[in-house]
Amino acid sequence: MPGLVSVQQTPPQTPPVPVFIPGDPTRVNGGSNKNPSPSNSRARPVKKTPEKVPTTDSSLENPDLGPFLLKLARDGRASGENPSKALDYALRASIAFENCSGSGHGVELVMSLHIVASIYCSLGRFEDAVPVLERSIEVTDLENGSDLALARFSGYMQLGDTYSMLGRVDKSISCYGSGLKIQVEVLGESDPTVAETCRYLAEAHVQAMQFDEAESFCKKTLEIHRKHTAPASLEEAADRRLLALICEAKGDYESALEHLVLASMSMIANGQDNEVAAIDVSIGDVYLSLCRFEEAIFSYQKALTVFKSTRGDNHPSVASVFIHLADLYYKTGKLRESKSYCENAMRIYAKPVPGTTSEEIASGLTEISAIYEAINEPEEALKLLEKAVRLLEDTPGQQSTIAGIEAQMGVLFYMIGMYGKARSSFESAIAKLHSNGEKKSAFFGIVLNQMGLACVQLYKIDEAVRLFEEAREILEQECGSFHLNTIGVYSNLAAAYDAMGRVEDAIEILEYILKVREQKLGTANPDAEDEKMRLVELLKDTKRTRNRKGKSLENLLDSNSTRKKEGTKKWSGFGFKN
């Protein structure tokens, strides 16, 4: 039955957007250089009196003005002191280069556009950066040359990063793929910088939960790194950690464990104690998935000892290990110990050490909330989620994360019978997902279904029908007609149709549901039996009999098996599926 599934609350950290600089070989790999923002990493120069810049439109046609404005824009962006002024210089530089497009300024025009987009992103104006980067790619498409090819590559990578920050993972993957194609054409398939772009694609596919594609790109990354680096290198360790994450997501825990052990050995050889501790946490997670609880506890405790000694007792990494231990003790039925570790983590988040980001705290609170929800304390879980949303509200690029949290809040409000607040939470989540271009994802369809259920409880049946119909369309496209989530939405839609008096439509859907359930699960399946009883009830009302053909018993379930049936709230004869 469809329900709100857990989603990745904190997407992988997106690296700073690259800016193309012609003639600089370090930028050949464009987005693969994970340099910090200049505003944070470079020493701020002594403040100078700004030079006067001509402002008339006619002056922008001067071929010498563009390079002058571009230099001012680059210097202003590097200092980070006045991004609005740097943005103004960059915008005017791009106009000047556009006006002199026939004077060999193609590369400089691209540079100015990249700087404009970079400043927009630093200001959190990601939507404004997109058309600028698209324009930079159009410019490089019109001319040839290796510099312009690499500028085009850099534009695609920067655009991919921007889409990633907006939560549009599909477009991000497309941009990275286009960048990789250009890079391979210029540098060849085995160049070390190609490995970094492949890693970008692997991480993006992980974010999109496309694990087969992610594994393919990650293996390519590992293959290239092993050609160009010494055995047990830090690059190889990073690749194996990502491969372990992918294998774990695919349920291949033994392979995940193997990659993590090899990564840990590489980190030990390079003296990276904190990284070894982080890998120990991941090893603990795999042991937990394998139900090897004692080994999981040992791995977590090893990591905890290292983090406390190297980072201090109140560091977020210590809180994170506490959360992992809390989850383990919940899963082993030791609820008191589980809550104790949750409280230890919350004490750290209440007084974070300097340098702790809002994203770190919000992510931790969300994970703790999931544990409180699991131990049937939804009110406490809601308080934590509300804190997480407040922390992320003013943080750029977190709209998708906030939408996921609000959707989970909607589920909790529904659980405790606060249907009006549930509907509002789902509505807010849907608006954010829609604005971020995620209106066709399976998760979006599930949230629509949950909002429809809240509307049913509020007697807003017309609105519920609209939501169920939209959810059905999306889940049919994303999951297929036979997926259990899709079937659950069909069932809810049939119930809503019956509630509004559209009995014939309800019968048609129920006959389809029953056909699918009997074919896929067997006639003895409890869900098939429930749907059959509901259909018979409606047919009696219309004085009809079921139109059915012989059903295969190939998937008949063991008649001796028992299954606890969840209670459903009834509406006009049959229930809705949560």
Side-chain angles (χ1 to χ4, degrees), residues 190-203:
S190 299
D191 190 89
T193 57
V194 171
E196 301 307 312
T197 307
C198 287
R199 183 178 177 85
Y200 265 55
L201 276 161
E203 291 173 348

Side-chain angles (χ1 to χ4, degrees), residues 491 510 530-538 574-575 577:
S491 182
L510 277 175
D530 288 345
E531 305 293 358
K532 188 187 299 182
M533 292 175 62
R534 294 170 180 176
L535 179 57
V536 168
E537 185 177 341
L538 283 182
F574 55 100
K577 303 285 186 178

Side-chain angles (χ1 to χ4, degrees), residues 189-192 220-230:
E189 292 185 351
S190 299
D191 190 89
K220 179 65 174 176
T221 304
L222 180 60
E223 178 186 332
I224 297 173
H225 279 152
R226 294 179 74 177
K227 286 182 180 179
H228 295 278
T229 60

Side-chain angles (χ1 to χ4, degrees), residues 172-184:
S172 177
I173 289 172
S174 176
C175 290
Y176 291 150
S178 297
L180 178 62
K181 183 178 179 182
I182 295 168
Q183 192 179 36
V184 168

Side-chain angles (χ1 to χ4, degrees), residues 123 185 281 291 293 341 380 406 427 431 451:
L123 296 172
E185 288 175 356
V281 174
C291 297
F293 301 120
Y341 278 114
E380 187 63 32
E406 288 179 334
E427 189 173 33
M451 184 174 171

